[in-house]
């Protein structure tokens, strides 16, 4: 499973990259706003900065909701860097835009996917990725993980090459469950990635190894 980081924060992207496990980045307009990035020039410069840190795909979302606007934005976004993937919302014009951009060899990420029907449409249109938002489904008492499992089954039934990019991940168990089901990618906040490191037995075990090592050094000195 590929690991993407779900943020526009440069320090967090660098931290995940330095860990050596980062395969890409996803952003959205809310995440850009959270970093205080506004205005086309600043937004584009920020995407470029992100692309220069990571080796993998970087999703940049369109703001338009009509076909012509989405295509115009997509053509501008892909000029920023070869790693840019155009993020397109799951709406009627979005599906048409995905089909068109796929035909032009431009990578797309269909965002705001909440049902298997939406995912099938995006896959048939040729999306490179689809982003089912599992945390937001959990938030309204639907089982987000059940959607990931349905999509894995459907895509495997028909050999769709669209990658399932599990999004709206809230905690490390989401990541582990996605890996069990076979999501192609999990895009996660840095906190959820770092939480995977933790186990109390690791901490206790390490403390004991270091204490035993220290004690043995003292014994050596006494012998001398
Ligand atoms: C990423 O592609 C999505 O935009 C993001 O995961 C949404 O996450 P949220 O539901 O925590 O805002």
């Amino acid at each position: 499973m590929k690991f993407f980081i779900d943020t526009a924060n440069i320090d967090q992207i660098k931290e995940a990259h330095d860990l050596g496990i980062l395969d890409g980045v996803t952003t959205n307009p809310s995440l850009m706003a959270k970093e205080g990035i506004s205005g086309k020039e600043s937004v584009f410069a920020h995407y470029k900065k992100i692309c220069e840190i990571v080796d993998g795909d970087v999703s940049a979302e369109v703001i338009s909701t009509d076909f012509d606007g989405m295509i115009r934005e997509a053509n501008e976004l892909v000029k920023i860097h070869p790693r840019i993937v155009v993020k397109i919302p799951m709406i009627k014009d979005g599906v048409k835009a995905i089909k068109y951009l796929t035909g032009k060899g431009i990578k797309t990420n269909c965002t705001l996917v909440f049902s298997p029907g939406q995912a099938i449409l995006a896959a048939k249109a040729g999306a490179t990725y689809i982003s089912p938002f599992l945390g937001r489904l959990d938030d309204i008492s639907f089982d987000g993980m059940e959607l990931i499992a349905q999509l894995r089954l459907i895509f495997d039934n028909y050999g769709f090459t669209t990658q399932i990019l599990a999004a709206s991940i809230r905690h490390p168990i989401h990541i582990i469950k996605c890996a069990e089901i076979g999501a192609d990618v999990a895009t996660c906040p840095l906190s959820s990635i770092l939480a995977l490191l933790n186990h109390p037995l690791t901490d206790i075990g390490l403390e004991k190894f270091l204490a035993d090592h220290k004690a043995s050094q003292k014994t050596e000195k006494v012998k001398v």
Side-chain angles (χ1 to χ4, degrees):
M1 186 169 71
K2 284 184 259 183
F3 269 39
F4 286 6
I5 188 165
D6 194 23
T7 185
N9 181 281
I10 296 293
D11 289 342
Q12 291 187 12
I13 294 168
K14 280 187 183 155
E15 190 174 337
H17 175 72
D18 289 350
L19 197 55
I21 51 82
L22 192 62
D23 300 302
V25 178
T26 51
T27 63
N28 62 37
S30 306
L31 292 171
M32 292 297 271
K34 196 172 161 194
E35 298 308 312
I37 316 291
S38 66
K40 191 169 159 184
E41 236 173 70
S42 310
V43 168
F44 279 33
H46 200 76
Y47 283 141
K48 191 159 186 273
K49 211 188 265 184
I50 294 174
C51 289
E52 283 164 358
I53 299 169
V54 295
D55 300 323
D57 286 347
V58 174
S59 288
E61 191 159 340
V62 297
I63 307 302
S64 303
T65 53
D66 64 296
F67 177 82
D68 290 338
M70 284 190 248
I71 301 304
R72 192 186 58 249
E73 278 190 66
N75 284 325
E76 290 176 351
L77 286 168
V78 293
K79 284 193 193 116
I80 297 173
H81 198 280
R83 282 198 258 280
I84 290 283
V85 172
V86 183
K87 218 172 171 191
I88 304 272
M90 170 32 78
I91 52 177
K92 200 172 175 187
D93 276 24
V95 174
K96 289 184 198 169
I98 289 167
K99 178 78 184 173
Y100 176 88
L101 293 169
T102 303
K104 297 281 173 201
I106 292 175
K107 285 185 177 180
T108 56
N109 173 358
C110 183
T111 189
L112 291 164
V113 169
F114 292 95
S115 76
Q118 292 177 325
I120 291 170
L121 287 176
K124 283 192 74 75
T128 315
Y129 300 100
I130 49 145
S131 291
F133 279 30
L134 63 100
R136 290 195 197 184
L137 280 169
D138 288 355
D139 290 345
I140 60 156
S141 302
F142 279 79
D143 186 353
M145 210 50 74
E146 174 62 26
L147 176 61
I148 306 293
Q150 282 177 300
L151 301 190
R152 183 72 282 155
L153 174 70
I154 293 167
F155 284 16
D156 288 351
N157 280 348
Y158 296 100
F160 283 129
T161 54
T162 298
Q163 295 179 54
I164 301 170
L165 193 168
S168 188
I169 281 178
R170 302 268 198 264
H171 49 73
I173 301 296
H174 272 156
I175 304 176
I176 292 159
K177 291 282 169 200
C178 282
E180 282 176 4
I181 292 168
D184 299 288
V185 188
T187 189
C188 323
L190 182 63
S191 57
S192 301
I193 297 175
L194 295 181
L196 294 173
L197 285 166
N198 301 334
H199 198 288
L201 291 179
T202 305
D203 299 339
I204 293 166
L206 184 58
E207 204 177 313
K208 175 96 171 76
F209 286 155
L210 295 179
D212 288 347
H213 172 73
K214 206 170 168 189
S216 73
Q217 299 306 108
K218 274 186 197 153
T219 319
E220 273 301 303
K221 269 190 198 155
V222 172
K223 273 188 201 160
V224 172

